[in-house]
Amino acid sequence: MSMPPAISRLVDALKCLPGVGSRTAERLAFHLLRAPDAEVTELAAAIEGLRASVTACSVCHTLTEQDPCGLCSDSSRDAARLLVVEQPRDVAAFEDAGWRGRYHVLLGHVNAMEGIEPGDLTLAHLVQRVAAGGIAEVIVATNPDYEGDATALHVQRALRDLDVSVTRIARGIASGSAIEYSNAAMLSDSLAGRADMDGVS
């Protein structure tokens, strides 16, 4: 027995979400059919408002509903230390770990297989921020995997002619894992044990 077109359309839409297969999409669709109207309406409004309200911060490129974001507007943060991460979700992870400096989000990582080049990232803006002065240390906190290592190398090379110390977070995080899945203690240890990148070529 085939499902009504409206349900099939919802199932197909839900399958586009990461980690959602056909069976999970069907369970979610039937849950929404049984859910109270207020719950479904709130979910629809939240999804619709997401694209309308959320934008990238013009300073650090994290996701925000105000520009500049609250992190960049906070004068109590250490403006001399800049933590470079791949994605906005990494900002949330380091906030939980207690980082009190500034951020720069690259919005991705270098991946030749997927055609993602350094120019596709916010690397040029990072260079502009550092060249403007006031930053003593750039801490590269890309993921400890092949793409993250390649991206870190591009960051180091882009900043090598500027008067700034470039360090990389320590390998307190398991190689091949993602920052977003690391707990606060692991991230805190990785920041404390960061290493200088001057010897990297």
Side-chain angles (χ1 to χ4, degrees):
M1 176 181 172
S2 61
M3 291 184 289
I7 298 178
S8 296
R9 180 184 173 199
L10 178 57
V11 168
D12 289 340
L14 291 169
K15 284 194 299 185
C16 294
L17 297 173
V20 177
S22 297
R23 289 187 180 273
T24 300
E26 288 177 9
R27 283 195 295 270
L28 291 171
F30 284 108
H31 168 79
L32 291 172
L33 278 173
R34 296 189 303 270
D37 288 347
E39 181 180 322
V40 176
T41 301
E42 175 60 26
L43 176 61
I47 293 173
E48 185 176 4
L50 179 67
R51 298 298 293 267
S53 303
V54 178
T55 186
C57 174
S58 61
V59 178
C60 73
H61 301 283
T62 196
L63 297 177
T64 181
E65 291 188 22
Q66 63 183 45
D67 190 21
C69 70
L71 297 173
C72 290
S73 301
D74 185 353
S75 60
S76 70
R77 302 186 76 93
D78 185 356
R81 280 164 178 69
L82 189 66
L83 189 67
V84 178
V85 297
E86 293 182 19
Q87 299 290 351
R89 59 180 175 263
D90 299 331
V91 172
F94 277 107
E95 280 298 287
D96 290 342
W99 174 249
R100 293 296 299 163
R102 303 288 187 183
Y103 292 97
H104 186 89
V105 182
L106 294 170
L107 297 179
H109 54 233
V110 175
N111 189 326
M113 296 292 291
E114 296 179 4
I116 304 173
E117 302 294 334
D120 297 319
L121 310 180
T122 62
L123 195 52
H125 186 219
L126 171 63
V127 173
Q128 291 175 3
R129 291 182 69 184
V130 175
I135 298 173
E137 180 185 13
V138 171
I139 305 167
V140 184
T142 51
N143 285 323
D145 53 22
Y146 180 81
E147 292 81 9
D149 289 343
T151 304
L153 185 58
H154 282 287
V155 171
Q156 190 267 339
R157 287 175 175 169
L159 300 175
R160 65 171 32 156
D161 294 330
L162 299 177
D163 185 21
V164 65
S165 171
V166 181
T167 58
R168 178 90 194 267
I169 57 172
R171 294 287 184 164
I173 303 169
S175 182
S177 65
I179 284 173
E180 65 179 304
Y181 300 122
S182 303
N183 61 41
M186 291 171 64
L187 292 175
S188 182
D189 288 345
S190 69
L191 282 170
R194 61 187 182 269
D196 197 282
M197 292 184 69
D198 285 345
V200 180
S201 59

PDB file of all heavy atoms in Angstrom, residues 22-58:
ATOM      1  N   SER A  22      15.379   6.187   5.318  1.00  0.00           N
ATOM      2  CA  SER A  22      13.966   6.026   4.968  1.00  0.00           C
ATOM      3  C   SER A  22      13.104   5.677   6.175  1.00  0.00           C
ATOM      4  O   SER A  22      12.041   6.267   6.390  1.00  0.00           O
ATOM      5  CB  SER A  22      13.813   4.946   3.896  1.00  0.00           C
ATOM      6  OG  SER A  22      14.464   5.337   2.709  1.00  0.00           O
ATOM      7  N   ARG A  23      13.551   4.709   6.982  1.00  0.00           N
ATOM      8  CA  ARG A  23      12.742   4.274   8.124  1.00  0.00           C
ATOM      9  C   ARG A  23      12.596   5.382   9.165  1.00  0.00           C
ATOM     10  O   ARG A  23      11.513   5.604   9.705  1.00  0.00           O
ATOM     11  CB  ARG A  23      13.346   3.026   8.763  1.00  0.00           C
ATOM     12  CG  ARG A  23      13.203   1.780   7.907  1.00  0.00           C
ATOM     13  CD  ARG A  23      13.679   0.549   8.667  1.00  0.00           C
ATOM     14  NE  ARG A  23      13.556  -0.645   7.864  1.00  0.00           N
ATOM     15  CZ  ARG A  23      12.456  -1.382   7.790  1.00  0.00           C
ATOM     16  NH1 ARG A  23      11.380  -1.013   8.453  1.00  0.00           N
ATOM     17  NH2 ARG A  23      12.426  -2.472   7.053  1.00  0.00           N
ATOM     18  N   THR A  24      13.706   6.067   9.455  1.00  0.00           N
ATOM     19  CA  THR A  24      13.641   7.167  10.421  1.00  0.00           C
ATOM     20  C   THR A  24      12.744   8.282   9.904  1.00  0.00           C
ATOM     21  O   THR A  24      11.951   8.861  10.659  1.00  0.00           O
ATOM     22  CB  THR A  24      15.054   7.718  10.701  1.00  0.00           C
ATOM     23  OG1 THR A  24      15.866   6.666  11.232  1.00  0.00           O
ATOM     24  CG2 THR A  24      15.008   8.864  11.698  1.00  0.00           C
ATOM     25  N   ALA A  25      12.844   8.578   8.618  1.00  0.00           N
ATOM     26  CA  ALA A  25      12.006   9.623   8.025  1.00  0.00           C
ATOM     27  C   ALA A  25      10.528   9.261   8.127  1.00  0.00           C
ATOM     28  O   ALA A  25       9.682  10.116   8.421  1.00  0.00           O
ATOM     29  CB  ALA A  25      12.405   9.848   6.569  1.00  0.00           C
ATOM     30  N   GLU A  26      10.214   7.993   7.914  1.00  0.00           N
ATOM     31  CA  GLU A  26       8.818   7.555   8.026  1.00  0.00           C
ATOM     32  C   GLU A  26       8.324   7.683   9.461  1.00  0.00           C
ATOM     33  O   GLU A  26       7.196   8.143   9.707  1.00  0.00           O
ATOM     34  CB  GLU A  26       8.685   6.111   7.547  1.00  0.00           C
ATOM     35  CG  GLU A  26       8.814   5.954   6.044  1.00  0.00           C
ATOM     36  CD  GLU A  26       8.753   4.501   5.612  1.00  0.00           C
ATOM     37  OE1 GLU A  26       8.435   3.634   6.471  1.00  0.00           O
ATOM     38  OE2 GLU A  26       9.023   4.221   4.431  1.00  0.00           O
ATOM     39  N   ARG A  27       9.171   7.281  10.437  1.00  0.00           N
ATOM     40  CA  ARG A  27       8.769   7.395  11.847  1.00  0.00           C
ATOM     41  C   ARG A  27       8.522   8.853  12.222  1.00  0.00           C
ATOM     42  O   ARG A  27       7.559   9.166  12.928  1.00  0.00           O
ATOM     43  CB  ARG A  27       9.849   6.786  12.755  1.00  0.00           C
ATOM     44  CG  ARG A  27       9.829   5.268  12.792  1.00  0.00           C
ATOM     45  CD  ARG A  27      10.639   4.733  13.961  1.00  0.00           C
ATOM     46  NE  ARG A  27      12.050   5.046  13.835  1.00  0.00           N
ATOM     47  CZ  ARG A  27      12.945   4.275  13.235  1.00  0.00           C
ATOM     48  NH1 ARG A  27      12.558   3.137  12.685  1.00  0.00           N
ATOM     49  NH2 ARG A  27      14.206   4.626  13.176  1.00  0.00           N
ATOM     50  N   LEU A  28       9.389   9.740  11.761  1.00  0.00           N
ATOM     51  CA  LEU A  28       9.215  11.163  12.061  1.00  0.00           C
ATOM     52  C   LEU A  28       7.944  11.712  11.419  1.00  0.00           C
ATOM     53  O   LEU A  28       7.205  12.492  12.034  1.00  0.00           O
ATOM     54  CB  LEU A  28      10.436  11.951  11.565  1.00  0.00           C
ATOM     55  CG  LEU A  28      11.746  11.719  12.324  1.00  0.00           C
ATOM     56  CD1 LEU A  28      12.904  12.387  11.603  1.00  0.00           C
ATOM     57  CD2 LEU A  28      11.635  12.248  13.752  1.00  0.00           C
ATOM     58  N   ALA A  29       7.691  11.302  10.192  1.00  0.00           N
ATOM     59  CA  ALA A  29       6.497  11.783   9.489  1.00  0.00           C
ATOM     60  C   ALA A  29       5.222  11.352  10.214  1.00  0.00           C
ATOM     61  O   ALA A  29       4.305  12.161  10.422  1.00  0.00           O
ATOM     62  CB  ALA A  29       6.494  11.265   8.051  1.00  0.00           C
ATOM     63  N   PHE A  30       5.169  10.091  10.629  1.00  0.00           N
ATOM     64  CA  PHE A  30       3.974   9.610  11.325  1.00  0.00           C
ATOM     65  C   PHE A  30       3.860  10.205  12.728  1.00  0.00           C
ATOM     66  O   PHE A  30       2.755  10.406  13.240  1.00  0.00           O
ATOM     67  CB  PHE A  30       3.957   8.080  11.362  1.00  0.00           C
ATOM     68  CG  PHE A  30       3.565   7.468  10.047  1.00  0.00           C
ATOM     69  CD1 PHE A  30       4.504   6.822   9.258  1.00  0.00           C
ATOM     70  CD2 PHE A  30       2.260   7.574   9.584  1.00  0.00           C
ATOM     71  CE1 PHE A  30       4.146   6.275   8.032  1.00  0.00           C
ATOM     72  CE2 PHE A  30       1.886   7.029   8.366  1.00  0.00           C
ATOM     73  CZ  PHE A  30       2.836   6.377   7.578  1.00  0.00           C
ATOM     74  N   HIS A  31       5.010  10.513  13.343  1.00  0.00           N
ATOM     75  CA  HIS A  31       4.973  11.212  14.636  1.00  0.00           C
ATOM     76  C   HIS A  31       4.335  12.589  14.468  1.00  0.00           C
ATOM     77  O   HIS A  31       3.498  13.004  15.283  1.00  0.00           O
ATOM     78  CB  HIS A  31       6.381  11.360  15.213  1.00  0.00           C
ATOM     79  CG  HIS A  31       6.438  12.312  16.373  1.00  0.00           C
ATOM     80  ND1 HIS A  31       6.043  11.968  17.649  1.00  0.00           N
ATOM     81  CD2 HIS A  31       6.816  13.626  16.436  1.00  0.00           C
ATOM     82  CE1 HIS A  31       6.179  13.016  18.448  1.00  0.00           C
ATOM     83  NE2 HIS A  31       6.649  14.030  17.738  1.00  0.00           N
ATOM     84  N   LEU A  32       4.726  13.296  13.408  1.00  0.00           N
ATOM     85  CA  LEU A  32       4.179  14.633  13.175  1.00  0.00           C
ATOM     86  C   LEU A  32       2.682  14.581  12.881  1.00  0.00           C
ATOM     87  O   LEU A  32       1.936  15.503  13.236  1.00  0.00           O
ATOM     88  CB  LEU A  32       4.927  15.310  12.022  1.00  0.00           C
ATOM     89  CG  LEU A  32       6.383  15.685  12.319  1.00  0.00           C
ATOM     90  CD1 LEU A  32       7.086  16.166  11.056  1.00  0.00           C
ATOM     91  CD2 LEU A  32       6.450  16.760  13.402  1.00  0.00           C
ATOM     92  N   LEU A  33       2.224  13.505  12.253  1.00  0.00           N
ATOM     93  CA  LEU A  33       0.790  13.356  11.995  1.00  0.00           C
ATOM     94  C   LEU A  33      -0.004  13.221  13.296  1.00  0.00           C
ATOM     95  O   LEU A  33      -1.138  13.701  13.397  1.00  0.00           O
ATOM     96  CB  LEU A  33       0.536  12.130  11.119  1.00  0.00           C
ATOM     97  CG  LEU A  33       0.720  12.310   9.609  1.00  0.00           C
ATOM     98  CD1 LEU A  33       0.598  10.971   8.907  1.00  0.00           C
ATOM     99  CD2 LEU A  33      -0.317  13.289   9.069  1.00  0.00           C
ATOM    100  N   ARG A  34       0.604  12.572  14.293  1.00  0.00           N
ATOM    101  CA  ARG A  34      -0.085  12.344  15.565  1.00  0.00           C
ATOM    102  C   ARG A  34       0.150  13.466  16.575  1.00  0.00           C
ATOM    103  O   ARG A  34      -0.545  13.550  17.583  1.00  0.00           O
ATOM    104  CB  ARG A  34       0.379  11.020  16.180  1.00  0.00           C
ATOM    105  CG  ARG A  34       0.030   9.790  15.357  1.00  0.00           C
ATOM    106  CD  ARG A  34       0.333   8.512  16.130  1.00  0.00           C
ATOM    107  NE  ARG A  34       1.729   8.443  16.547  1.00  0.00           N
ATOM    108  CZ  ARG A  34       2.708   7.910  15.827  1.00  0.00           C
ATOM    109  NH1 ARG A  34       2.439   7.404  14.635  1.00  0.00           N
ATOM    110  NH2 ARG A  34       3.943   7.880  16.282  1.00  0.00           N
ATOM    111  N   ALA A  35       1.135  14.319  16.319  1.00  0.00           N
ATOM    112  CA  ALA A  35       1.505  15.364  17.277  1.00  0.00           C
ATOM    113  C   ALA A  35       0.426  16.447  17.349  1.00  0.00           C
ATOM    114  O   ALA A  35      -0.317  16.665  16.385  1.00  0.00           O
ATOM    115  CB  ALA A  35       2.837  15.990  16.870  1.00  0.00           C
ATOM    116  N   PRO A  36       0.350  17.140  18.492  1.00  0.00           N
ATOM    117  CA  PRO A  36      -0.606  18.248  18.614  1.00  0.00           C
ATOM    118  C   PRO A  36      -0.319  19.334  17.576  1.00  0.00           C
ATOM    119  O   PRO A  36       0.828  19.548  17.176  1.00  0.00           O
ATOM    120  CB  PRO A  36      -0.354  18.775  20.035  1.00  0.00           C
ATOM    121  CG  PRO A  36       0.290  17.642  20.762  1.00  0.00           C
ATOM    122  CD  PRO A  36       1.092  16.900  19.740  1.00  0.00           C
ATOM    123  N   ASP A  37      -1.366  20.028  17.158  1.00  0.00           N
ATOM    124  CA  ASP A  37      -1.223  21.077  16.147  1.00  0.00           C
ATOM    125  C   ASP A  37      -0.199  22.131  16.566  1.00  0.00           C
ATOM    126  O   ASP A  37       0.583  22.613  15.739  1.00  0.00           O
ATOM    127  CB  ASP A  37      -2.575  21.756  15.892  1.00  0.00           C
ATOM    128  CG  ASP A  37      -3.533  20.850  15.131  1.00  0.00           C
ATOM    129  OD1 ASP A  37      -3.071  19.827  14.592  1.00  0.00           O
ATOM    130  OD2 ASP A  37      -4.735  21.170  15.081  1.00  0.00           O
ATOM    131  N   ALA A  38      -0.202  22.484  17.858  1.00  0.00           N
ATOM    132  CA  ALA A  38       0.710  23.526  18.337  1.00  0.00           C
ATOM    133  C   ALA A  38       2.167  23.115  18.155  1.00  0.00           C
ATOM    134  O   ALA A  38       3.023  23.934  17.796  1.00  0.00           O
ATOM    135  CB  ALA A  38       0.429  23.831  19.805  1.00  0.00           C
ATOM    136  N   GLU A  39       2.461  21.830  18.391  1.00  0.00           N
ATOM    137  CA  GLU A  39       3.835  21.331  18.245  1.00  0.00           C
ATOM    138  C   GLU A  39       4.287  21.388  16.790  1.00  0.00           C
ATOM    139  O   GLU A  39       5.404  21.811  16.485  1.00  0.00           O
ATOM    140  CB  GLU A  39       3.918  19.897  18.766  1.00  0.00           C
ATOM    141  CG  GLU A  39       5.307  19.282  18.691  1.00  0.00           C
ATOM    142  CD  GLU A  39       5.333  17.855  19.217  1.00  0.00           C
ATOM    143  OE1 GLU A  39       4.634  17.578  20.218  1.00  0.00           O
ATOM    144  OE2 GLU A  39       6.046  17.022  18.620  1.00  0.00           O
ATOM    145  N   VAL A  40       3.412  20.975  15.889  1.00  0.00           N
ATOM    146  CA  VAL A  40       3.746  20.977  14.464  1.00  0.00           C
ATOM    147  C   VAL A  40       3.898  22.409  13.953  1.00  0.00           C
ATOM    148  O   VAL A  40       4.812  22.721  13.182  1.00  0.00           O
ATOM    149  CB  VAL A  40       2.671  20.224  13.655  1.00  0.00           C
ATOM    150  CG1 VAL A  40       2.969  20.303  12.161  1.00  0.00           C
ATOM    151  CG2 VAL A  40       2.590  18.772  14.103  1.00  0.00           C
ATOM    152  N   THR A  41       3.013  23.290  14.399  1.00  0.00           N
ATOM    153  CA  THR A  41       3.078  24.692  13.986  1.00  0.00           C
ATOM    154  C   THR A  41       4.370  25.349  14.463  1.00  0.00           C
ATOM    155  O   THR A  41       5.016  26.101  13.725  1.00  0.00           O
ATOM    156  CB  THR A  41       1.865  25.469  14.533  1.00  0.00           C
ATOM    157  OG1 THR A  41       0.663  24.869  14.032  1.00  0.00           O
ATOM    158  CG2 THR A  41       1.914  26.928  14.111  1.00  0.00           C
ATOM    159  N   GLU A  42       4.759  25.055  15.709  1.00  0.00           N
ATOM    160  CA  GLU A  42       5.992  25.618  16.261  1.00  0.00           C
ATOM    161  C   GLU A  42       7.212  25.115  15.492  1.00  0.00           C
ATOM    162  O   GLU A  42       8.138  25.878  15.202  1.00  0.00           O
ATOM    163  CB  GLU A  42       6.117  25.251  17.741  1.00  0.00           C
ATOM    164  CG  GLU A  42       7.424  25.678  18.397  1.00  0.00           C
ATOM    165  CD  GLU A  42       7.665  27.179  18.358  1.00  0.00           C
ATOM    166  OE1 GLU A  42       6.682  27.943  18.289  1.00  0.00           O
ATOM    167  OE2 GLU A  42       8.846  27.591  18.385  1.00  0.00           O
ATOM    168  N   LEU A  43       7.224  23.825  15.146  1.00  0.00           N
ATOM    169  CA  LEU A  43       8.333  23.265  14.379  1.00  0.00           C
ATOM    170  C   LEU A  43       8.426  23.926  13.007  1.00  0.00           C
ATOM    171  O   LEU A  43       9.515  24.315  12.560  1.00  0.00           O
ATOM    172  CB  LEU A  43       8.158  21.753  14.226  1.00  0.00           C
ATOM    173  CG  LEU A  43       9.194  21.032  13.356  1.00  0.00           C
ATOM    174  CD1 LEU A  43      10.590  21.195  13.945  1.00  0.00           C
ATOM    175  CD2 LEU A  43       8.839  19.557  13.209  1.00  0.00           C
ATOM    176  N   ALA A  44       7.295  24.072  12.332  1.00  0.00           N
ATOM    177  CA  ALA A  44       7.284  24.698  11.005  1.00  0.00           C
ATOM    178  C   ALA A  44       7.760  26.145  11.077  1.00  0.00           C
ATOM    179  O   ALA A  44       8.533  26.604  10.226  1.00  0.00           O
ATOM    180  CB  ALA A  44       5.881  24.627  10.407  1.00  0.00           C
ATOM    181  N   ALA A  45       7.330  26.865  12.111  1.00  0.00           N
ATOM    182  CA  ALA A  45       7.731  28.264  12.267  1.00  0.00           C
ATOM    183  C   ALA A  45       9.224  28.379  12.562  1.00  0.00           C
ATOM    184  O   ALA A  45       9.901  29.293  12.075  1.00  0.00           O
ATOM    185  CB  ALA A  45       6.921  28.915  13.386  1.00  0.00           C
ATOM    186  N   ALA A  46       9.746  27.441  13.367  1.00  0.00           N
ATOM    187  CA  ALA A  46      11.171  27.461  13.702  1.00  0.00           C
ATOM    188  C   ALA A  46      12.029  27.213  12.465  1.00  0.00           C
ATOM    189  O   ALA A  46      13.058  27.871  12.259  1.00  0.00           O
ATOM    190  CB  ALA A  46      11.472  26.416  14.774  1.00  0.00           C
ATOM    191  N   ILE A  47      11.599  26.279  11.624  1.00  0.00           N
ATOM    192  CA  ILE A  47      12.347  25.983  10.394  1.00  0.00           C
ATOM    193  C   ILE A  47      12.292  27.172   9.441  1.00  0.00           C
ATOM    194  O   ILE A  47      13.305  27.574   8.858  1.00  0.00           O
ATOM    195  CB  ILE A  47      11.791  24.715   9.720  1.00  0.00           C
ATOM    196  CG1 ILE A  47      12.065  23.488  10.600  1.00  0.00           C
ATOM    197  CG2 ILE A  47      12.407  24.528   8.337  1.00  0.00           C
ATOM    198  CD1 ILE A  47      11.406  22.214  10.115  1.00  0.00           C
ATOM    199  N   GLU A  48      11.106  27.755   9.299  1.00  0.00           N
ATOM    200  CA  GLU A  48      10.954  28.899   8.399  1.00  0.00           C
ATOM    201  C   GLU A  48      11.752  30.099   8.892  1.00  0.00           C
ATOM    202  O   GLU A  48      12.385  30.811   8.110  1.00  0.00           O
ATOM    203  CB  GLU A  48       9.480  29.271   8.275  1.00  0.00           C
ATOM    204  CG  GLU A  48       9.215  30.371   7.262  1.00  0.00           C
ATOM    205  CD  GLU A  48       7.738  30.668   7.079  1.00  0.00           C
ATOM    206  OE1 GLU A  48       6.917  30.071   7.799  1.00  0.00           O
ATOM    207  OE2 GLU A  48       7.413  31.493   6.216  1.00  0.00           O
ATOM    208  N   GLY A  49      11.756  30.314  10.212  1.00  0.00           N
ATOM    209  CA  GLY A  49      12.467  31.458  10.769  1.00  0.00           C
ATOM    210  C   GLY A  49      13.969  31.294  10.787  1.00  0.00           C
ATOM    211  O   GLY A  49      14.710  32.279  10.873  1.00  0.00           O
ATOM    212  N   LEU A  50      14.437  30.052  10.695  1.00  0.00           N
ATOM    213  CA  LEU A  50      15.872  29.780  10.746  1.00  0.00           C
ATOM    214  C   LEU A  50      16.625  30.517   9.647  1.00  0.00           C
ATOM    215  O   LEU A  50      17.590  31.234   9.903  1.00  0.00           O
ATOM    216  CB  LEU A  50      16.108  28.269  10.631  1.00  0.00           C
ATOM    217  CG  LEU A  50      17.557  27.800  10.648  1.00  0.00           C
ATOM    218  CD1 LEU A  50      18.181  28.060  12.016  1.00  0.00           C
ATOM    219  CD2 LEU A  50      17.636  26.317  10.315  1.00  0.00           C
ATOM    220  N   ARG A  51      16.177  30.364   8.417  1.00  0.00           N
ATOM    221  CA  ARG A  51      16.868  30.988   7.291  1.00  0.00           C
ATOM    222  C   ARG A  51      16.675  32.499   7.274  1.00  0.00           C
ATOM    223  O   ARG A  51      17.527  33.240   6.787  1.00  0.00           O
ATOM    224  CB  ARG A  51      16.370  30.382   5.974  1.00  0.00           C
ATOM    225  CG  ARG A  51      16.647  28.902   5.826  1.00  0.00           C
ATOM    226  CD  ARG A  51      18.130  28.585   5.831  1.00  0.00           C
ATOM    227  NE  ARG A  51      18.802  29.103   4.668  1.00  0.00           N
ATOM    228  CZ  ARG A  51      19.000  28.409   3.547  1.00  0.00           C
ATOM    229  NH1 ARG A  51      18.588  27.160   3.472  1.00  0.00           N
ATOM    230  NH2 ARG A  51      19.620  28.945   2.527  1.00  0.00           N
ATOM    231  N   ALA A  52      15.555  32.961   7.818  1.00  0.00           N
ATOM    232  CA  ALA A  52      15.274  34.395   7.808  1.00  0.00           C
ATOM    233  C   ALA A  52      16.039  35.139   8.897  1.00  0.00           C
ATOM    234  O   ALA A  52      16.392  36.305   8.727  1.00  0.00           O
ATOM    235  CB  ALA A  52      13.772  34.629   7.981  1.00  0.00           C
ATOM    236  N   SER A  53      16.315  34.466  10.024  1.00  0.00           N
ATOM    237  CA  SER A  53      16.891  35.146  11.184  1.00  0.00           C
ATOM    238  C   SER A  53      18.387  34.950  11.353  1.00  0.00           C
ATOM    239  O   SER A  53      19.073  35.807  11.904  1.00  0.00           O
ATOM    240  CB  SER A  53      16.187  34.669  12.466  1.00  0.00           C
ATOM    241  OG  SER A  53      14.804  34.893  12.396  1.00  0.00           O
ATOM    242  N   VAL A  54      18.914  33.808  10.910  1.00  0.00           N
ATOM    243  CA  VAL A  54      20.315  33.474  11.181  1.00  0.00           C
ATOM    244  C   VAL A  54      21.195  33.866  10.003  1.00  0.00           C
ATOM    245  O   VAL A  54      20.874  33.593   8.845  1.00  0.00           O
ATOM    246  CB  VAL A  54      20.465  31.968  11.483  1.00  0.00           C
ATOM    247  CG1 VAL A  54      21.931  31.610  11.709  1.00  0.00           C
ATOM    248  CG2 VAL A  54      19.633  31.594  12.704  1.00  0.00           C
ATOM    249  N   THR A  55      22.306  34.521  10.318  1.00  0.00           N
ATOM    250  CA  THR A  55      23.259  34.931   9.296  1.00  0.00           C
ATOM    251  C   THR A  55      24.670  34.681   9.812  1.00  0.00           C
ATOM    252  O   THR A  55      24.858  34.269  10.955  1.00  0.00           O
ATOM    253  CB  THR A  55      23.074  36.425   8.951  1.00  0.00           C
ATOM    254  OG1 THR A  55      23.916  36.767   7.857  1.00  0.00           O
ATOM    255  CG2 THR A  55      23.420  37.310  10.145  1.00  0.00           C
ATOM    256  N   ALA A  56      25.659  34.915   8.980  1.00  0.00           N
ATOM    257  CA  ALA A  56      27.054  34.768   9.401  1.00  0.00           C
ATOM    258  C   ALA A  56      27.563  36.101   9.925  1.00  0.00           C
ATOM    259  O   ALA A  56      27.307  37.152   9.332  1.00  0.00           O
ATOM    260  CB  ALA A  56      27.915  34.295   8.233  1.00  0.00           C
ATOM    261  N   CYS A  57      28.279  36.056  11.039  1.00  0.00           N
ATOM    262  CA  CYS A  57      28.889  37.264  11.600  1.00  0.00           C
ATOM    263  C   CYS A  57      29.910  37.811  10.604  1.00  0.00           C
ATOM    264  O   CYS A  57      30.724  37.063  10.064  1.00  0.00           O
ATOM    265  CB  CYS A  57      29.565  36.929  12.932  1.00  0.00           C
ATOM    266  SG  CYS A  57      30.499  38.298  13.652  1.00  0.00           S
ATOM    267  N   SER A  58      29.890  39.103  10.368  1.00  0.00           N
ATOM    268  CA  SER A  58      30.803  39.712   9.400  1.00  0.00           C
ATOM    269  C   SER A  58      32.239  39.775   9.918  1.00  0.00           C
ATOM    270  O   SER A  58      33.164  40.030   9.152  1.00  0.00           O
ATOM    271  CB  SER A  58      30.327  41.120   9.041  1.00  0.00           C
ATOM    272  OG  SER A  58      30.296  41.946  10.200  1.00  0.00           O
TER     273      SER A  58
END
